[in-house]
Amino acid sequence: MYNEIARNNRRSTIFIGLFFVIWIAIGAVGGLLFKSLSSHAASNVAAPGQTVNYGLAPIFVGMAICAFLAILGILYSLKAGARMVLRVSGAVPADPVRYQQLHDLVDALAIGEGIPKPDVYVIEDPSPNAFATGVSSDKAAITFTTGLVQVMNREELEGVAGHEMSHIKNHDIRLLLVVSTMIGMAALLASIFWRGAFFASMGRGSGRNGGLIVIVIFAAGLLLAIVGFIFGPLIRLALSRRRESLADVSGVELTRNPAGLLSALKKLQQNDVPFKKMNHATASMCIDDPLRHHGSWIHRLYDTHPPIEERIAELEKMVSGPQV
């Protein structure tokens, strides 16, 4: 298992690097497009014998701008990404009296892992689910829905908490935070650029540079949309799917009780209540893919979780074999 975790960490580094390269490539393509279009427009009005040559400057400028935006997104995700996830999910700190059992379970598991106790949050939502977030073990949080607390017994809650604690230990949540933030940033910038292209086309008048600006802005928005809705989710899928299975195994190793998580997953398998406050950007952090219950066939192309039936089958093998 430890070799598999190390292998996945290496793969994660490669995928994060690939994501950064994609952002830089967007800048290069945008700069190349600007260079081509502006040179063409200038040549149409230049005096005979004169040529306009920007060299490679637009390409380097575009790469620098996108590299800066990528670094800015990474820094933001590391600084404020966890708070953003909790805020958009409607999570609130779990009352230590009302949710004493959750606090006790998380505290005991943290001691077993030798890490600081993560903060405990709850979301008022009838759909049973849970997720961990944070950039390091001393700045982590585990969030449970009220639906999960209501349908799970203590043994099952321990299994879920152990699964989420394993994500913290294996540094999965930091990687998913960075990738999810970059995906959201790309989608947001795409929307801003498209709106900018629309308003620029409405107010550009007859200036010869107006059309160039509109085309470049629209193209930048299109490239960012491709990252936000195609490349980004595929990279997140590659990061997330295997990590869920690893978290199941390492969570069982922590609790020493595969039956708890197995029973919890079987209950989650029967759930048909959508998680209302989750979305594509944060669904990959949940123990059970909340978008699975929305029934959209196209979502299955971007599943961030292995089929829950496969996870249950793996745990059943552990239950039927020697106890962990």
Side-chain angles (χ1 to χ4, degrees), residues 24-314:
I24 295 177
I26 289 175
V29 172
L32 182 62
L33 180 63
F34 177 85
K35 177 180 182 299
S36 175
L37 293 176
S38 59
S39 297
H40 176 73
S43 64
N44 289 336
V45 297
Q50 291 183 342
T51 59
V52 178
N53 185 7
Y54 290 97
L56 298 178
I59 298 176
F60 289 133
V61 170
M63 293 172 64
I65 291 174
C66 284
F68 173 76
L69 291 175
I71 293 173
L72 193 66
I74 291 172
L75 292 177
Y76 175 80
S77 67
L78 295 176
K79 181 69 175 178
R83 292 196 301 272
M84 177 185 67
V85 169
L86 293 171
R87 184 170 61 252
V88 300
S89 303
V92 296
D95 181 85
V97 176
R98 181 180 176 185
Y99 296 104
Q100 181 181 355
Q101 185 179 62
L102 292 181
H103 282 276
D104 290 346
L105 287 172
V106 172
D107 191 21
L109 292 171
I111 292 174
E113 284 283 24
I115 63 175
K117 176 192 173 187
D119 295 330
V120 181
Y121 283 76
V122 294
I123 298 175
E124 289 288 341
D125 195 297
S127 180
N129 223 316
F131 63 88
T133 188
V135 297
S136 61
S137 57
D138 59 340
K139 296 180 181 179
I142 298 179
T143 301
F144 305 84
T145 65
T146 53
L148 184 87
V149 177
Q150 290 170 0
V151 302
M152 302 287 175
N153 59 35
R154 188 185 189 285
E155 184 182 44
E156 292 161 348
L157 284 174
E158 182 185 48
V160 171
H163 172 99
E164 299 304 333
M165 192 74 70
S166 296
H167 279 308
I168 296 173
K169 175 187 175 183
N170 298 339
H171 305 296
D172 298 340
I173 51 179
R174 179 170 57 198
L175 292 165
L176 290 175
L177 266 178
V178 171
V179 172
S180 296
T181 300
M182 296 298 289
I183 292 172
M185 184 177 173
L188 176 63
L189 288 175
S191 176
I192 292 173
F193 280 17
W194 280 344
R195 289 175 182 269
F198 173 77
F199 288 114
S201 66
M202 295 292 291
R204 66 183 177 88
S206 58
R208 68 174 186 270
N209 292 327
L212 169 64
I213 294 173
V214 171
I215 292 174
V216 171
I217 292 176
F218 181 82
L222 179 61
L223 291 171
L224 287 167
I226 291 173
V227 171
F229 298 104
I230 299 179
F231 286 119
L234 288 175
I235 290 175
R236 184 173 58 202
L237 181 154
L239 286 172
S240 178
R241 284 179 68 90
R242 184 55 186 162
R243 289 182 177 275
E244 284 301 315
S245 297
L246 286 174
D248 287 343
V249 175
S250 53
V252 166
E253 184 181 65
L254 172 61
T255 62
R256 307 286 179 177
N257 180 20
L261 181 57
L262 174 60
S263 179
L265 290 180
K266 287 182 176 180
K267 286 186 176 180
L268 292 175
Q269 185 183 30
Q270 301 303 315
N271 171 50
D272 59 359
V273 180
F275 197 167
K276 296 180 180 179
K277 294 188 177 181
M278 276 289 114
N279 53 53
H280 282 275
T282 52
S284 59
M285 299 178 184
C286 294
I287 187 172
D288 179 34
D289 183 359
L291 298 171
R292 172 176 65 90
H293 305 292
H294 289 182
S296 172
W297 67 268
I298 195 170
H299 173 259
R300 298 189 186 98
L301 299 176
Y302 294 95
D303 276 343
T304 55
H305 293 59
I308 198 167
E309 295 81 6
E310 293 181 6
R311 298 167 63 188
I312 290 173
E314 289 297 321

